[in-house]
Amino acid sequence: MTGGGDILPAASFRRNNIMAHTGGCQCGAVRYEVTNDLGGIYVCHCTDCQAQSSSAFGISVNVPLDHLKITKGTPKTFNWTGGGNAKHGAFCAACGTRLWHLSGDNDRNPSVKGGTLDHAIDLTDAVHIWTLSKLPGIVIPDGCRQFAEEPVDR
Protein backbone atom coordinates (compact mmCIF):
# COMPACT_ATOMS: atom_id res chain seq x y z
CA MET A 1 0.00 0.00 0.00
CA THR A 2 1.41 3.33 -0.94
CA GLY A 3 0.15 6.86 -0.56
CA GLY A 4 0.06 9.85 -2.84
CA GLY A 5 -1.77 8.19 -5.72
CA ASP A 6 1.11 5.88 -6.67
CA ILE A 7 0.20 3.12 -9.09
CA LEU A 8 0.45 -0.23 -7.35
CA PRO A 9 1.98 -3.31 -8.98
CA ALA A 10 -0.29 -6.18 -9.98
CA ALA A 11 -1.83 -7.38 -6.73
CA SER A 12 -2.12 -11.05 -7.57
CA PHE A 13 -0.71 -13.28 -10.25
CA ARG A 14 -0.23 -16.95 -11.08
CA ARG A 15 3.00 -18.72 -10.16
CA ASN A 16 3.20 -22.47 -10.85
CA ASN A 17 -0.55 -22.36 -11.50
CA ILE A 18 -1.27 -21.13 -7.95
CA MET A 19 -2.66 -17.68 -7.25
CA ALA A 20 -0.06 -15.50 -5.53
CA HIS A 21 -0.87 -12.33 -3.62
CA THR A 22 1.34 -9.38 -2.75
CA GLY A 23 1.24 -6.86 0.05
CA GLY A 24 3.30 -4.68 2.30
CA CYS A 25 3.45 -1.86 4.76
CA GLN A 26 2.16 1.66 4.31
CA CYS A 27 5.55 3.20 3.47
CA GLY A 28 6.72 0.37 1.17
CA ALA A 29 9.83 -0.55 3.19
CA VAL A 30 8.57 -4.11 3.77
CA ARG A 31 6.90 -6.16 1.04
CA TYR A 32 5.72 -9.76 1.02
CA GLU A 33 4.19 -12.36 -1.24
CA VAL A 34 1.79 -15.18 -0.40
CA THR A 35 2.49 -18.01 -2.86
CA ASN A 36 -0.72 -19.87 -2.17
CA ASP A 37 -4.44 -19.26 -2.22
CA LEU A 38 -5.58 -17.22 0.77
CA GLY A 39 -7.11 -19.11 3.68
CA GLY A 40 -9.94 -18.19 6.00
CA ILE A 41 -10.85 -14.53 6.45
CA TYR A 42 -11.64 -13.36 9.97
CA VAL A 43 -13.00 -10.11 11.32
CA CYS A 44 -11.73 -10.04 14.89
CA HIS A 45 -13.45 -7.86 17.48
CA CYS A 46 -11.03 -8.68 20.35
CA THR A 47 -9.51 -5.83 22.32
CA ASP A 48 -5.99 -6.69 21.04
CA CYS A 49 -7.13 -6.22 17.42
CA GLN A 50 -9.01 -3.05 18.33
CA ALA A 51 -5.82 -1.60 19.85
CA GLN A 52 -3.52 -2.85 17.07
CA SER A 53 -5.73 -1.54 14.27
CA SER A 54 -6.80 1.65 16.07
CA SER A 55 -10.27 0.71 14.90
CA ALA A 56 -13.36 -1.32 15.80
CA PHE A 57 -11.89 -4.62 14.58
CA GLY A 58 -8.99 -6.24 12.76
CA ILE A 59 -9.14 -8.20 9.52
CA SER A 60 -6.96 -11.31 9.34
CA VAL A 61 -6.34 -13.74 6.51
CA ASN A 62 -4.79 -17.10 7.38
CA VAL A 63 -1.95 -18.27 5.15
CA PRO A 64 0.48 -21.19 5.44
CA LEU A 65 3.78 -20.00 6.93
CA ASP A 66 5.77 -21.83 4.24
CA HIS A 67 4.01 -19.70 1.59
CA LEU A 68 4.64 -16.30 3.19
CA LYS A 69 7.77 -14.83 1.59
CA ILE A 70 9.34 -11.49 2.47
CA THR A 71 10.38 -9.85 -0.81
CA LYS A 72 11.70 -6.52 0.51
CA GLY A 73 12.96 -5.26 3.84
CA THR A 74 13.00 -6.92 7.24
CA PRO A 75 10.01 -6.72 9.56
CA LYS A 76 10.50 -6.19 13.28
CA THR A 77 8.69 -8.36 15.80
CA PHE A 78 6.68 -7.56 18.88
CA ASN A 79 5.93 -10.33 21.38
CA TRP A 80 3.12 -10.29 23.93
CA THR A 81 0.69 -12.62 25.69
CA GLY A 82 -2.99 -12.54 24.81
CA GLY A 83 -5.75 -15.02 25.52
CA GLY A 84 -3.26 -17.23 27.35
CA ASN A 85 -1.02 -17.63 24.27
CA ALA A 86 2.30 -16.16 23.30
CA LYS A 87 1.74 -13.88 20.29
CA HIS A 88 4.31 -12.67 17.78
CA GLY A 89 3.51 -9.67 15.58
CA ALA A 90 5.52 -8.58 12.54
CA PHE A 91 5.54 -4.89 11.67
CA CYS A 92 7.46 -2.29 9.69
CA ALA A 93 10.00 -0.46 11.84
CA ALA A 94 9.74 2.65 9.64
CA CYS A 95 5.98 3.24 9.55
CA GLY A 96 4.65 0.87 12.24
CA THR A 97 2.22 -1.04 10.01
CA ARG A 98 1.33 -4.45 11.49
CA LEU A 99 1.82 -7.01 8.71
CA TRP A 100 0.91 -10.33 10.35
CA HIS A 101 0.96 -12.20 13.62
CA LEU A 102 1.36 -15.72 14.91
CA SER A 103 -0.58 -17.10 17.89
CA GLY A 104 1.59 -19.37 19.99
CA ASP A 105 5.11 -20.59 19.47
CA ASN A 106 4.09 -23.45 17.14
CA ASP A 107 1.64 -21.58 14.90
CA ARG A 108 2.27 -22.46 11.23
CA ASN A 109 -0.52 -20.24 9.85
CA PRO A 110 0.16 -16.55 10.29
CA SER A 111 -2.74 -14.13 10.20
CA VAL A 112 -1.85 -11.58 7.54
CA LYS A 113 -3.51 -8.22 8.22
CA GLY A 114 -6.11 -7.75 5.49
CA GLY A 115 -5.37 -4.08 4.91
CA THR A 116 -1.76 -4.82 3.98
CA LEU A 117 -2.70 -6.84 0.89
CA ASP A 118 -2.48 -4.91 -2.37
CA HIS A 119 -6.02 -5.88 -3.36
CA ALA A 120 -9.27 -5.46 -1.47
CA ILE A 121 -10.61 -8.45 0.40
CA ASP A 122 -14.18 -9.64 -0.03
CA LEU A 123 -15.63 -9.85 3.49
CA THR A 124 -18.89 -11.48 2.39
CA ASP A 125 -17.93 -14.88 3.85
CA ALA A 126 -15.67 -13.59 6.64
CA VAL A 127 -16.07 -15.18 10.06
CA HIS A 128 -16.58 -12.71 12.91
CA ILE A 129 -14.76 -13.72 16.09
CA TRP A 130 -14.56 -12.34 19.62
CA THR A 131 -17.97 -10.73 19.18
CA LEU A 132 -18.19 -10.70 22.98
CA SER A 133 -16.02 -7.56 22.85
CA LYS A 134 -17.59 -6.07 19.69
CA LEU A 135 -18.06 -2.30 19.98
CA PRO A 136 -21.61 -0.95 20.32
CA GLY A 137 -23.03 0.11 16.97
CA ILE A 138 -21.12 -2.49 14.91
CA VAL A 139 -23.66 -4.56 12.97
CA ILE A 140 -22.65 -8.00 11.75
CA PRO A 141 -24.53 -8.87 8.54
CA ASP A 142 -27.22 -11.52 8.77
CA GLY A 143 -25.96 -14.96 7.85
CA CYS A 144 -22.31 -14.38 8.79
CA ARG A 145 -20.70 -17.03 10.95
CA GLN A 146 -19.76 -15.56 14.31
CA PHE A 147 -18.25 -16.68 17.59
CA ALA A 148 -18.32 -14.99 20.99
CA GLU A 149 -14.64 -15.89 21.46
CA GLU A 150 -11.92 -17.77 19.54
CA PRO A 151 -13.34 -20.72 17.54
CA VAL A 152 -11.69 -24.05 18.23
CA ASP A 153 -11.25 -24.91 14.51
CA ARG A 154 -9.51 -21.71 13.53
Side-chain angles (χ1 to χ4, degrees):
M1 312 238 350
T2 58
D6 294 345
I7 297 174
L8 296 175
S12 58
F13 52 93
R14 291 230 170 249
R15 175 172 288 154
N16 298 329
N17 207 25
I18 294 176
M19 186 62 74
H21 307 272
T22 58
C25 67
Q26 190 171 6
C27 74
V30 179
R31 300 283 303 155
Y32 66 84
E33 176 181 304
V34 176
T35 58
N36 197 3
D37 292 332
L38 299 177
I41 299 173
Y42 295 87
V43 175
C44 184
H45 301 270
C46 79
T47 55
D48 278 347
C49 283
Q50 290 171 6
Q52 173 270 313
S53 67
S54 301
S55 187
F57 51 80
I59 299 172
S60 295
V61 181
N62 287 352
V63 301
L65 183 60
D66 295 343
H67 293 278
L68 177 61
K69 309 293 182 202
I70 299 167
T71 59
K72 180 181 176 188
T74 303
K76 297 288 185 182
T77 58
F78 171 69
N79 302 310
W80 76 101
T81 302
N85 281 325
K87 308 257 185 179
H88 312 285
F91 66 96
C92 173
C95 69
T97 301
R98 172 78 71 84
L99 300 163
W100 62 81
H101 72 266
L102 295 159
S103 296
D105 292 326
N106 297 315
D107 190 354
R108 302 296 299 162
N109 292 298
S111 295
V112 169
K113 301 288 117 189
T116 68
L117 288 162
D118 289 336
H119 65 282
I121 295 175
D122 182 355
L123 297 178
T124 302
D125 295 322
V127 178
H128 290 255
I129 61 175
W130 285 98
T131 59
L132 187 66
S133 51
K134 172 178 73 70
L135 294 180
I138 297 295
V139 177
I140 297 173
D142 290 338
C144 284
R145 288 180 56 208
Q146 55 183 294
F147 296 87
E149 294 182 339
E150 188 81 17
V152 175
D153 64 346
R154 182 169 177 211

